[in-house]
Amino acid sequence: MAGARSLWRANGMKEEHFGRPVIAIVNSFTQFVPGHVHLHDIGQHIKGLIESHGFFAAEFNTIAIDDGIAMGHDGMLYSLPSRDVIADSVEYMCNGHKVDAMICISNCDKITPGMMMAAMRLNIPTIFVSGGPMEAGEIGGKYYDLVDAMVLAADTSVSDNELAQIEQSACPTCGSCSGMFTANSMNCLAEAIGVALPGNGTIVATHANRNKLFDEAVERIVAATKAYYFEGDESVLPRSIATRDSFLNAMKLDIAMGGSTNTVLHLLAIAHEAEVDFSMEDIDELSRITPNLCKVAPSSHYHVQDVNRAGGILSILGELDRAGLMETSVKRVDGLTLKEALEKYDIKRDTVTDDAKNRYLSSPGDGSRNLVMGSQENYYPQLDDDREKGCIRNIEHAYNKDGGLAILFGNIAEKGCIVKTAGVDPSIYKFTGTARVFNSQDEAVNGILGDAVQKGDVIVIRYEGPKGGPGMQEMLYPTSYLKSMQLDKHCALITDGRFSGGTSGLSIGHVSPEAAAGGAIGLIRDNDKIEIDIVNRSINLIISDEEMAERRAAETAKGKLAFTPEGRDRTISKALKAYASLVSSADKGAVRLID
């Protein structure tokens, strides 16, 4: 391998590095995404720290798509497929160069799950550190975020001047958008799975303690690399950490905090890569026993910075543990078991450390525009430990005894669909309405804003699944416009597509099988009656089995045109066609079916 060694020398490798592990710094810096715009320099800072330990470190980047910027037009077709591009690119770089360990710098929607999928495939020592959440925007003592700007933009009662002020203030800093949307949900779940450090999902991007997380991550990845390669300790590997129990713990957290429904899609895909038995049926079972302990924007006035002040993710896990719902023997990348981590980082325990309190007192800055990571060091005067009325509740004061997410089954969704119950008004947990069918998101938006949708309707958006879109677009604009039109408490929306973490209301996504795969959602007609029952976890088209069979036979008789969107004019690139030819429906995590 003299040629390879010669090339490594040209990369800066020194003689003492040969024969020692190579650690990849997998960065996702891009100036297209505010969640990543501040990550340019941190990779090289980490490189210096790793090499001070005698290891060689090399940085490379992945792509990153901003779902908020890509949303509302055909750019969103590329968002979910980018998850596989990211996973593949990490695998390609690491296997092509025989990388021995990774520190993954992720943040936004598809980047964290894509990198996690790659980590499970590679199964080399890995730690995740996110770029952190954005600060919430503040105007006159009221806090705003991206979704507020989107909703108010179509609200005719909001003046142009008021909207302009909100638009300019809603996204004030670098970081992933400030609510419990997909990016922050996934970074919180990384803590629960055990592949990231406490505070990973909740310390704002601008705070100095965010930089300290990166420094600590270097110490941990060096220790894990030594443990595996020099001592043969396999307990530090991703598949040893991300076990079935870890995925169940993470899903309980997601349900308890009412996270994005996208996390279901991603957890299923990550578990698939880890070869862990984890399914929609598991999620359904957990949703029936896990209480909703935390509501964050878009489901409340709280933002992720408030979750941090209340003790972060480890404190939510602590409340679940006191209810006997956690498996605390699982291992973590910080070298602790979950039980040991809870002793140190759950603020309601007498054993909580000063270091933990310091992390959770990390507060936003002065409200000014700030694109520099770790550039301020403001602290809250005290922690939010009110478990009755605070940001994080205890079991006795849960928002709902059932959790913030639910899986529904029925003749429309034989393999399941998902709803974020934390964002649904309890008055419409049971809802029967009239179908208004649209074969694209664009058509649905026009229908909502054009008064084609009325109170009592069930909006059906189909052929937007992984195969049918292709790419499974997020439906934040339709759900936001339902709010704008004051229809969100009077209508339901069901789709084989998916929702942003910013979605609330009776919005049911991931309907499986999707229409393009022959799912029954493709057989719904205008004016059909649809019955939704969150309490009993059911969703059904109110027609007989015989009528359903007749409709299916009539659709199948169309041959090549069967289960395709009539009247839709959409240009599909070869890249998206390749994705569509392999992808599964959402119940399997929209993974590619290759084997």
Side-chain angles (χ1 to χ4, degrees):
M1 301 301 295
R5 289 193 296 274
S6 183
L7 290 168
W8 276 119
R9 288 186 176 90
N11 283 338
M13 189 176 281
K14 299 176 181 177
E15 295 304 315
E16 60 266 26
H17 292 140
F18 288 106
R20 307 201 78 195
V22 172
I23 299 178
I25 301 163
V26 185
N27 202 342
S28 52
F29 160 74
T30 170
Q31 292 180 328
F32 282 87
V33 190
H36 300 247
V37 72
H38 55 307
L39 302 178
H40 185 260
D41 297 327
I42 193 65
Q44 289 303 293
H45 171 71
I46 287 172
K47 176 180 172 69
L49 293 179
I50 291 172
E51 293 186 351
S52 71
H53 288 274
F55 294 93
F56 184 74
E59 181 180 12
F60 69 88
N61 279 74
T62 70
I63 64 168
I65 290 176
D66 187 310
D67 280 15
I69 295 174
M71 198 173 298
H73 52 84
D74 58 8
M76 180 49 67
L77 297 174
Y78 292 89
S79 174
L80 183 59
S82 76
R83 184 184 71 180
D84 292 285
V85 174
I86 291 164
D88 289 350
S89 67
V90 174
E91 177 188 343
Y92 279 29
M93 285 294 288
C94 289
N95 277 344
H97 299 96
K98 309 312 294 180
V99 163
D100 300 296
M102 296 191 296
I103 181 165
C104 292
I105 307 171
S106 67
N107 215 22
C108 288
D109 300 88
K110 306 309 159 307
I111 296 85
T112 299
M115 288 185 181
M116 289 181 72
M117 289 166 67
M120 298 307 150
R121 293 180 195 174
L122 295 165
N123 203 32
I124 57 178
T126 303
I127 191 167
F128 279 74
V129 196
S130 79
M134 182 184 291
E135 297 177 21
E138 188 265 333
I139 303 174
K142 185 175 181 180
Y143 289 92
Y144 293 89
D145 55 56
L146 167 70
V147 176
D148 294 316
M150 294 175 70
V151 171
L152 296 174
D155 188 335
T156 56
S157 69
V158 178
S159 70
D160 288 348
N161 287 338
E162 183 182 359
L163 178 61
Q165 187 179 12
I166 292 168
E167 177 187 324
Q168 292 164 14
S169 304
C171 299
T173 71
C174 57
S176 48
C177 296
S178 56
M180 194 56 77
F181 312 142
T182 305
N184 290 325
S185 296
M186 284 305 306
N187 291 329
C188 291
L189 291 183
E191 290 189 49
I193 292 173
V195 294
L197 301 170
N200 178 71
T202 57
I203 298 173
V204 291
T206 58
H207 201 275
N209 279 335
R210 175 61 51 181
N211 287 345
K212 291 179 182 178
L213 277 183
F214 282 95
D215 293 350
E216 185 179 346
V218 169
E219 299 298 318
R220 290 310 315 157
I221 195 60
V222 168
T225 302
K226 288 179 178 178
Y228 178 58
Y229 290 104
F230 301 158
E231 301 167 19
D233 181 1
E234 296 186 359
S235 70
V236 300
L237 297 179
R239 290 197 184 190
S240 298
I241 293 169
T243 62
R244 175 174 166 80
D245 283 333
S246 298
F247 279 101
L248 295 177
N249 283 347
M251 195 65 239
K252 290 172 190 173
L253 168 70
D254 200 18
I255 295 166
M257 71 181 186
S260 164
T261 53
N262 279 325
T263 54
V264 172
L265 198 70
H266 299 321
L267 280 180
L268 289 169
I270 296 163
H272 174 80
E273 299 293 355
E275 299 183 357
V276 168
D277 180 18
F278 178 72
S279 68
M280 289 280 275
E281 287 72 20
D282 291 315
I283 297 169
D284 176 48
E285 181 179 337
L286 295 177
S287 74
R288 298 171 187 269
I289 63 171
T290 307
N292 182 197
L293 304 181
C294 188
K295 282 193 177 186
V296 183
S299 302
S300 80
H301 66 281
Y302 290 117
H303 290 83
V304 176
Q305 61 200 40
D306 301 304
V307 179
N308 193 69
R309 185 182 185 181
I313 297 312
L314 270 293
S315 290
I316 299 177
L317 296 178
E319 296 300 334
L320 292 173
D321 182 47
R322 280 184 277 279
L325 293 172
M326 286 285 101
E327 174 49 66
T328 60
S329 65
V330 293
K331 295 178 174 61
R332 299 171 48 82
V333 74
D334 53 18
L336 306 172
T337 63
L338 178 57
K339 180 179 180 180
E340 292 167 338
L342 290 174
E343 293 296 322
K344 292 180 65 175
Y345 292 102
D346 176 8
I347 67 169
K348 296 298 286 186
R349 303 191 188 212
D350 294 336
T351 52
V352 64
T353 64
D354 290 338
D355 170 64
K357 292 177 182 178
N358 180 268
R359 293 181 196 218
Y360 298 130
L361 285 169
S362 306
S363 78
D366 60 9
S368 62
R369 181 76 58 194
N370 185 351
L371 305 186
V372 181
M373 184 165 63
S375 54
Q376 56 89 8
E377 202 165 0
N378 288 0
Y379 288 91
Y380 291 111
Q382 60 188 33
L383 295 166
D384 170 15
D385 61 358
D386 181 356
R387 294 300 185 249
E388 180 180 352
K389 297 179 180 178
C391 181
I392 297 173
R393 308 290 176 85
N394 57 25
I395 299 296
E396 292 74 24
H397 300 95
Y399 287 98
N400 296 298
K401 296 302 180 184
D402 284 354
L405 299 173
I407 307 297
L408 312 182
F409 294 91
N411 65 1
I412 293 174
E414 293 179 357
K415 294 186 179 179
C417 55
I418 188 163
V419 60
K420 185 173 180 175
T421 55
V424 181
D425 191 292
S427 67
I428 52 173
Y429 274 7
K430 291 189 177 183
F431 187 94
T432 300
T434 303
R436 293 286 176 262
V437 181
F438 302 99
N439 287 336
S440 72
Q441 176 185 204
D442 307 310
E443 187 182 343
V445 164
N446 291 335
I448 293 167
L449 295 179
D451 297 325
V453 174
Q454 306 297 322
K455 290 182 179 181
D457 285 347
V458 178
I459 301 148
V460 179
I461 306 178
R462 62 192 182 189
Y463 296 107
E464 292 287 16
K467 182 183 293 290
M472 202 179 187
Q473 295 194 76
E474 287 187 345
M475 304 291 172
L476 183 53
Y477 273 98
T479 57
S480 296
Y481 291 154
L482 283 173
K483 279 187 174 181
S484 304
M485 305 295 285
Q486 285 79 51
L487 290 172
D488 54 310
K489 295 182 181 179
H490 305 283
C491 291
L493 189 155
I494 69 172
T495 180
D496 52 9
R498 61 194 177 92
F499 297 115
S500 161
T503 288
S504 58
L506 186 47
S507 305
I508 300 170
H510 301 201
V511 171
S512 299
E514 63 173 293
I521 189 174
L523 304 176
I524 300 173
R525 297 175 180 172
D526 278 333
N527 299 314
D528 281 344
K529 293 297 180 184
I530 295 175
E531 184 178 74
I532 299 164
D533 187 340
I534 290 178
V535 175
N536 292 305
R537 303 293 198 267
S538 66
I539 181 168
N540 287 290
L541 179 61
I542 309 303
I543 62 173
S544 66
D545 292 344
E546 291 76 16
E547 171 68 12
M548 184 76 85
E550 289 175 9
R551 291 187 186 186
R552 181 170 294 281
E555 185 67 24
T556 303
K558 296 178 182 178
K560 290 184 179 180
L561 296 178
F563 293 101
T564 59
E566 293 182 7
R568 189 175 78 180
D569 182 17
R570 178 176 292 172
T571 301
I572 307 299
S573 72
K574 289 184 178 180
L576 291 176
K577 286 179 180 178
Y579 175 80
S581 70
L582 295 171
V583 72
S584 69
S585 287
D587 63 296
K588 296 185 181 298
V591 297
R592 294 173 302 184
L593 301 177
I594 297 171
D595 296 331

